[in-house]
Amino acid sequence: MKKTILSLFCVLALCLGLLPTTALAAAPSGQELYVGGVQISSTGYWTTGDDGTVTSAGATQPGDSYIHYDADTNTLTLHNATIQKELHSDLFISGSAIGVINQSGDAELNIQLEGSNKIEEVTQGLSMGIYVYSSGGGAALNIKGNGTLVLNSNYETIQVIGSNGNAALSIENAKVTATSSYGFGLTVQSGSSETSSASLTVDGGSLTATAQSSNVSGIRLRSGTGETGDGTPTVTVSNNASVRANGSAGGITSNSSTGIQYETGGNATGGIVFDGKNGTVYGTVELQDDLEIGKDESLTIGKGASLTAVSYTHLRAHETAANL
């Protein structure tokens, strides 16, 4: 009998170990999603034409260059897709190529990247790229996958705003490049409460955010809408991730009275953050082949951090100016 009970416990433990640690959920009640000016509320496929028109393909997967939405997991998949049109409405997210809004609760979206994807319009330009906004709760945007996403807009490329809660942007494995002509590169803004947080997490991927105009920064982390806020913004890099932020007003800026906290989230490996031309290594990092350090940039190894490179010649090949 004891052996039987022990065997049952072992089987149960094995089954629990096979379960996923996290499960994606459907969109919060009251949320609306728009892609290329078209509202999407149910599972299906869409294509984008040469003129940027988003057209429903129903339940049939197109051959290539398509958009798919899974309502059960609130996941929008971009498969070699190009989004060129923005939303025109009286909603607060008007002007966005991908817009999420919830006026009564949290606003959330998961984006899965497959292949090469773009959000841009080369003739007149898009006002905004991705905008996740909640007026009644928190906001979260999660971008993952092995694909790439290039965003070009006139105003902000990515905005995640939770007016009455936390605001979080996370990137996992994906490579995201965001360039704004006149506004901030990207903004993550939480509510004004000191318990609310604005966070940026890059795990195993890369993020490059550039603001080309004057008096703006590449990445802006805000607590509330005032000149100063009580929340604590965080930037977390892990799994050899890299973050680059460039802007005339600074690479990464915040209105927080406590300043930005940089961390690795307790992961075994960390990442590199470039705040303008000044890079800092956080945690244990292995220099990646696709990471180039310009001769006018500096790289500092933070306290308790370490950087492993293939060789010194590898660093010189990239014309590195590093404080190693």
Side-chain angles (χ1 to χ4, degrees), residues 190-198 221-224 227-235 253-263:
S190 68
S192 57
S193 170
E194 63 180 11
T195 60
S196 298
S197 64
L221 304 176
R222 291 182 57 82
S223 173
E227 291 187 6
T228 59
D230 297 325
T232 301
T234 60
V235 175
T253 60
S254 172
N255 68 335
S256 171
S257 57
T258 61
I260 301 173
Q261 304 299 308
Y262 294 89
E263 56 188 47

Side-chain angles (χ1 to χ4, degrees), residues 29-90:
S29 176
Q31 176 169 293
E32 298 178 30
L33 167 65
Y34 297 86
V35 180
V38 175
Q39 185 171 6
I40 294 177
S41 57
S42 59
T43 297
Y45 291 90
W46 286 260
T47 60
T48 56
D50 293 338
D51 62 349
T53 301
V54 175
T55 305
S56 174
T60 303
Q61 177 180 319
D64 198 4
S65 303
Y66 61 81
I67 298 165
H68 177 259
Y69 181 65
D70 185 338
D72 292 335
T73 62
N74 190 29
T75 299
L76 182 71
T77 298
L78 304 182
H79 182 94
N80 292 324
T82 299
I83 302 172
Q84 304 178 64
K85 289 194 173 182
E86 60 189 55
L87 173 66
H88 296 284
S89 74
D90 57 356

Side-chain angles (χ1 to χ4, degrees), residues 284-324:
T284 302
V285 178
E286 180 177 327
L287 193 66
Q288 303 299 295
D289 288 337
D290 58 353
L291 178 65
E292 294 190 8
I293 305 170
K295 60 183 179 181
D296 58 343
E297 295 179 328
S298 65
L299 182 60
T300 302
I301 300 177
K303 184 179 180 179
S306 64
L307 177 64
T308 302
V310 176
S311 66
Y312 180 66
T313 56
H314 172 87
L315 294 174
R316 292 185 62 188
H318 292 82
E319 295 183 311
T320 304
N323 301 320
L324 299 177

